[in-house]
Every structure is written in structure tokens, then in C-alpha cells.
Amino acid sequence: RDLRGAARRQQEETRAAVSVIAVTFCLHMQSAVNFCTCRSAWQVPLLSVARKKVSPSTFPSTHVSRRSVLPSVRDLATIAVGMSGGVDSSVTALLLKEQGHDVTGIHMTNWDSDDEGYAECREREFNDAKQVCSRLGIGFKEVNFVREYWQHVFHPFIEGLSVGGTPNPDVYCNRHIKFKLFLEYALSGGADFLATGHYARLRRSPNGKIQLLRAVDQTKDQTFFLIGTEQRALQRTLFPLGELKKDAVRAIAAEAGLHTATKRDSTGICFV
């Protein structure tokens, strides 16, 4: 009887712990939707638009000069662009290519979805990224950080939840994967800079340090998720979309005939 009672109490404690983790995770996801601005669902009937031929008139007119929003790189450079398969990275690559830079797209895999039956989703993202690079006439590569993501992002995330914390996997990923390992991979391959489709701005201060500034589109601003990015990484990073509104990004993609123009934004968390 004592053993059964102890087992019952242990089960109840386990259920309570799992409930806490589940609630905390749901709150994190809600926060991601509210504050991680490139994550929010685009307020357009995507299923109906996606089946139509995309044209610039599908989107609001933005009257924004592309040249005015490009990063201030004095000389033409070799730039690696993190290609997720979405519209933001697609337009990032497009803008840099139009400016005359030597651009290569790199698709990064951080989560092994094959074991969970979601290989089709991963393949779709890969194919979308590859198709955009092909249309733009730029190089395309793939790199795998599944093991490193588990070690530096997912495992610390679970550990943090288990002790009652509210860890943010996006912050971990940006600090340890995208703007460290991924940046190092890009630079080792000959790139001068790494560019991504984040909504944020960078400004060099008089002392040479790079300041991280909020994006013009504050409903899409992602600076919160970039707060852990090291200064040495920011020195080699470009955010071409920081001066653009999201509807302008989609309009540019549509004008260029990119099929990602109508693609819905992702959650941004690889294991969801």
C-alpha cells in the first residue's frame, strides 16, 4: 500500500511538472507570435492568393527606393545569405545581388525532422531556398548544425524549463548557432559578411562598435531575439531589411517574380 501510494504521488508530481513545462512553453510561443515580428501570420488570405499568379499589384504600393535601404558596404563584397526558404531571406539575397555583391545562399538545417515524420516540411524549405537562389543566379550551399543545435539550444531550453525558468530558444540560436557557428562557416568559405532576413538595423558608432537598433517596421522588429549576439559577430553581419516594412518586402518579392512572395511566415523555432 505504501509503495502504491508513493508511486501515485510520484505520478502526480510528474504530471504537475509536465503541465508547468507545457504551460511555460505555450506562453513562450504566444510571446513569439506577439513579439518576434517576422513570426506573426501575414494578414492576407494566403491560401487564395497562393493559387493566383503573383503580381506587384497583389501587394500594397510602398514607394520605397531599394537603393535607400541597402546596407552601407563601401566596396563590393562577397556576402553569404542565410536562406531559410521564406520571403525575408529571398528579398535579402535579391537586394544584395542587385547592388552588385557576390552573393551565395546557404540553407541551414538545425533540426532533424525525419525521425518525427516531418521530412516533407524540411524538404519544402530546402527546395524553396534552392529555387530562389537558382532564379537569382547565385550559388547555393547547405550546412547541417543539428548536433550543435541540440547541444547549445534545445538541451539548455529543456533544462531551463525544468527548473522553472523561461528560456528563449531564439536567443540561444542566434547567439550560438546563426551568429557564431553559421557565421564562422560563412567566413571560412570566403565570405566577407553574413546577411540574414532579420528585421533589425545596425549602426557603427564613433568608437567603431556596432549598435543594434530597432527595425523601421516595429511590428516585425526582432532586436529582442538578437540581444545575445556578440559584438564581433555584428561587425560581420548585415540586416538589409531593417529599413523596410514587411508589405514592402513582399511587394519586392512579387515584382521580382519570386514564388516566396506569398509564403506564410514560420514560427522560427525549429523543433515546433
Side-chain angles (χ1 to χ4, degrees):
R1 183 180 303 173
D2 292 340
L3 290 176
R4 285 197 295 271
R8 192 180 304 111
R9 286 192 298 273
Q10 185 175 6
Q11 289 178 348
E12 292 174 353
E13 292 174 356
T14 300
R15 290 195 189 98
V18 171
S19 297
V20 170
I21 291 176
V23 170
T24 303
F25 182 73
C26 288
L27 289 174
H28 167 75
M29 286 300 298
Q30 182 63 43
S31 175
V33 171
N34 290 337
F35 296 102
C36 185
T37 55
C38 82
R39 318 300 190 200
S40 305
W42 183 43
Q43 300 301 315
V44 170
L46 291 173
L47 293 180
S48 60
V49 174
R51 292 181 173 85
K52 300 177 182 179
K53 183 178 180 181
V54 179
S55 65
S57 60
T58 306
F59 305 92
S61 177
T62 58
H63 304 290
V64 175
S65 169
R66 296 189 195 180
R67 182 70 57 178
S68 66
V69 301
L70 294 175
S72 57
V73 179
R74 293 183 178 180
D75 301 317
L76 295 183
T78 299
I79 302 176
V81 177
M83 299 294 296
S84 65
V87 64
D88 295 327
S89 59
S90 299
V91 172
T92 295
L94 170 64
L95 294 176
L96 294 170
K97 175 69 182 301
E98 287 185 339
Q99 195 180 18
H101 295 292
D102 180 10
V103 179
T104 297
I106 307 178
H107 181 72
M108 177 173 54
T109 299
N110 291 333
W111 189 257
D112 189 356
S113 56
D114 294 355
D115 295 337
E116 300 173 359
Y118 296 106
E120 181 180 347
C121 296
R122 180 180 61 80
E123 291 176 3
R124 182 168 58 248
E125 298 301 318
F126 173 85
N127 290 332
D128 284 344
K130 187 175 182 179
Q131 183 177 338
V132 168
C133 289
S134 177
R135 181 172 182 82
L136 296 179
I138 64 176
F140 178 76
K141 298 179 181 179
E142 181 184 18
V143 62
N144 187 305
F145 290 122
V146 170
R147 182 176 61 181
E148 293 84 355
Y149 186 91
W150 183 280
Q151 178 182 354
H152 296 292
V153 180
F154 185 70
H155 189 261
F157 172 68
I158 296 301
E159 281 192 333
L161 290 179
S162 68
V163 297
T166 55
N168 191 305
D170 284 336
V171 174
Y172 292 165
C173 183
N174 285 331
R175 178 179 176 85
H176 299 292
I177 306 297
K178 290 180 183 176
F179 298 102
K180 186 175 182 182
L181 297 178
F182 188 44
L183 174 62
E184 291 173 354
Y185 174 83
L187 297 179
S188 67
D192 300 306
F193 297 94
L194 171 66
T196 69
H198 285 85
Y199 285 84
R201 292 180 298 152
L202 299 175
R203 182 175 65 190
R204 185 176 297 276
S205 62
N207 63 6
K209 288 188 176 181
I210 300 296
Q211 298 174 330
L212 179 63
L213 307 177
R214 296 185 67 182
V216 167
D217 191 340
Q218 295 191 11
T219 66
K220 295 295 180 182
D221 178 75
Q222 292 175 277
T223 49
F224 173 80
F225 300 93
L226 295 164
I227 56 175
T229 307
E230 296 181 355
Q231 179 65 207
R232 60 181 178 179
L234 295 178
Q235 295 279 349
R236 291 286 188 170
T237 299
L238 301 173
F239 296 136
L241 304 188
E243 301 284 348
L244 284 172
K245 297 277 190 175
K246 185 57 179 270
D247 56 0
V249 171
R250 290 195 180 276
I252 291 172
E255 183 182 1
L258 300 180
H259 74 287
T260 54
T262 58
K263 190 173 181 180
R264 185 173 181 174
D265 295 329
S266 65
T267 61
I269 303 177
C270 299
F271 51 87
V272 174

